[in-house]
Amino acid sequence: MTDDVLSVHGGSPLHGEITVRGAKNLVPKAMVAALLGHEPSTLRNVPDISDVSIATGLLELHGVSVRPGAARGEVVLDPSKVEQANVTDVDTHAGASRIPILLCGPLLHRLGRAFIPDLGGCRIGDRPIDFHLGVLREFGAHVEKRPEGLYLEAPERLRGTKISLPYPSVGTTEQVLLTSVLAEGVTELRNAAIEPEIVDLIAVLQKMGAIITVQSDRVIRITGVDRLGGYVHQALPDRLETASWACAALATGGDVYVRGARQIDMMTFLNVFRRVGGAFEVHDGEGIRFWHPGGSLNAIPLETDVHPGFQTDWQQPLVVALTQASGLSIVHETVYENRLGFTEALVAMGATIQLYRECLGGTPCRFGQRNFRHSAVISGPAKLQAAKLVIPDLRGGFSYLIAALAAQGTSTVHGIDLIYRGYEDFLSKLAALGALVEQ
Ligand code: EPU
């Protein structure tokens, strides 16, 4: 058996305690923000995941020194040599992640030009970058798309502008923030994403000297400044990893204490967890305990949405738990057109799940008139049986682990390397919870 395969002996509940660290969807962006400063920055609570290694590699390539700080999980980023960097093998980062696109604004400010190789990220839909390119052009950047990647130039200092996004995209909102803070004049961003990770990135930028106002109507106003310094920041805890372990506790009938989890970023998830029949207990400043209180779980209707709605990344792990609920659950995925494909493997394990092209559950979404199977009806409870599982994407991959842990028999899960993109040391955490797994 190769290292990328895990044998999972299912059928026993997870019990115990694990710790979550800084959010995968904040940390690489906060690292990129350091490129905007003229002094070193210190980021704390950095998880050891491959998305952080990718961000580290990219920043080092552009002349930022990235080294461990005094404490575990602390990283010190020094951007003082960016102007002297000789960027030769940026191609080695092609296709690895979607982080490189966020280097555009900072590099244009510092160097007046940028090359961004072809992008990767999870295959959960088309994942275009049209919004990103549109906003960069609005700031005055020249963008040329070639097969090997994007060539960008800023002949003059980028200028603040008025932007209204067609959809509250997380990445594009980050793009605007990282570009506008050093642009000349005021930028007004309408229909912005306001995920907790974005608010944390704004906190990072404010520490560096940026002036950013967030209104309650998805409008963000940024007043450009001439110079930014460094920051010292503790990354917010990973609410997506937390929810994954919570769903693992529920699906296996277990009891998991997630040290480091924070209630305020997870209120929508916690409401749904309770409606399904899960129990939780918040320990302020310490963590959250999640458990299955016994009895049967409840089927629910669920729609994913941008924050403060139910986060799309919570959907896949929760669907596994919903296979154990009594009755019909309806899940409408409105953020990605192709994030339900992973359910095919659950069906092979014995779950009853049907996918539909229609928007089930009431609210029509962007995918309703198109040919995407983005709604699911799950009929439970199902007795899951072990299977051979091939991981399709990050969250789908963790969900397969949950399914294998909840199933009878021994499953083989192939492609576990993908899980390291977003879950630090997950094999040790599984062991700490009593999971019977072998590599
Ligand atoms: N979109 C466009 N054009 C664009 C950009 C986005 O059409 O130029 C569409 C996307 O195709 C998608 C929707 O807008 O349908 C939302 O995409 P968004 O830009 O919000 O997502 P992202 O920035 O690419 C981040 C996270 C995702 C998370 C989403 C939504 C990172 C590195 N990734 O992606 O995380 O699902 O926001 O919250 O921060 C994960 O952690 O597993 C993951 C996929």
Side-chain angles (χ1 to χ4, degrees), residues 201-218:
L201 180 63
I202 292 174
V204 166
L205 293 167
Q206 185 179 54
K207 285 173 173 170
M208 297 175 79
I211 302 171
I212 304 173
T213 318
V214 184
Q215 294 179 193
S216 55
D217 54 354
R218 292 196 181 276

Side-chain angles (χ1 to χ4, degrees), residues 16-320:
E17 175 179 322
I18 49 106
T19 300
V20 284
R21 309 253 276 171
K24 161 193 161 279
N25 288 351
L26 174 271
V27 167
K29 290 94 180 257
M31 292 172 73
V32 171
L35 187 52
L36 291 162
H38 277 88
E39 282 132 31
S41 292
T42 302
L43 187 57
R44 300 196 170 125
N45 205 18
V46 173
D48 184 10
I49 53 174
S50 43
D51 267 20
V52 168
S53 312
I54 291 168
T56 301
L58 268 171
L59 288 168
E60 284 177 338
L61 198 68
H62 286 93
V64 180
S65 116
V66 184
R67 56 190 168 76
R72 180 172 173 229
E74 189 174 288
V75 168
V76 180
L77 305 111
D78 183 352
S80 54
K81 302 249 165 39
V82 170
E83 280 75 11
Q84 290 91 57
N86 181 12
V87 183
T88 46
D89 52 357
V90 69
D91 276 354
T92 53
H93 294 273
S97 130
R98 287 174 70 78
I99 305 301
I101 189 86
L102 295 178
L103 263 69
C104 292
L107 288 177
L108 287 174
H109 282 302
R110 285 198 85 133
L111 307 172
R113 66 192 143 69
F115 169 67
I116 307 297
D118 192 27
L119 293 184
C122 280
R123 298 278 165 241
I124 48 182
D126 201 20
R127 304 198 78 181
I129 51 166
D130 50 335
F131 303 167
H132 291 257
L133 304 188
V135 302
L136 286 163
R137 289 190 176 111
E138 295 215 32
F139 281 105
H142 294 177
V143 184
E144 197 190 327
K145 251 172 125 174
R146 293 197 205 151
E148 66 274 23
L150 297 174
Y151 290 86
L152 298 105
E153 259 181 28
E156 294 158 30
R157 183 176 174 188
L158 299 176
R159 293 175 313 274
T161 178
K162 285 193 174 184
I163 298 167
S164 184
L165 296 182
Y167 183 79
S169 148
V170 168
T172 317
T173 301
E174 292 160 346
Q175 182 76 264
V176 171
L177 289 169
L178 291 166
T179 306
S180 59
V181 282
L182 284 177
E184 192 180 341
V186 176
T187 297
E188 184 185 273
L189 176 63
R190 296 193 165 268
N191 207 21
I194 48 164
E195 268 61 7
E197 292 79 14
I198 287 180
V199 176
D200 214 41
L201 180 63
I202 292 174
V204 166
L205 293 167
Q206 185 179 54
K207 285 173 173 170
M208 297 175 79
I211 302 171
I212 304 173
T213 318
V214 184
Q215 294 179 193
S216 55
D217 54 354
R218 292 196 181 276
V219 176
I220 302 181
R221 223 174 246 103
I222 307 106
T223 305
V225 296
D226 292 337
R227 193 176 192 282
L228 292 172
Y231 65 80
V232 177
H233 189 75
Q234 165 95 3
L236 85 166
D238 199 311
R239 65 198 172 99
L240 311 181
E241 183 187 359
T242 301
S244 301
W245 291 112
C247 292
L250 197 59
T252 63
D255 187 335
V256 174
Y257 188 83
V258 184
R259 189 163 291 283
R262 196 166 75 171
Q263 177 187 20
I264 194 83
D265 311 319
M266 302 201 58
M267 297 193 120
T268 306
F269 176 83
L270 294 173
N271 286 336
V272 169
F273 193 78
R274 181 169 278 160
R275 275 183 13 231
V276 174
F280 64 87
E281 199 172 73
V282 176
H283 299 242
D284 288 335
E286 291 173 25
I288 307 179
R289 176 184 164 210
F290 298 92
W291 74 98
H292 189 312
S296 61
L297 297 178
N298 311 313
I300 54 156
L302 179 75
E303 208 154 65
T304 65
D305 204 351
V306 292
H307 186 80
F310 191 90
Q311 177 82 18
T312 168
D313 308 274
W314 293 330
Q315 176 261 109
Q316 287 157 300
L318 189 78
V319 161
V320 180

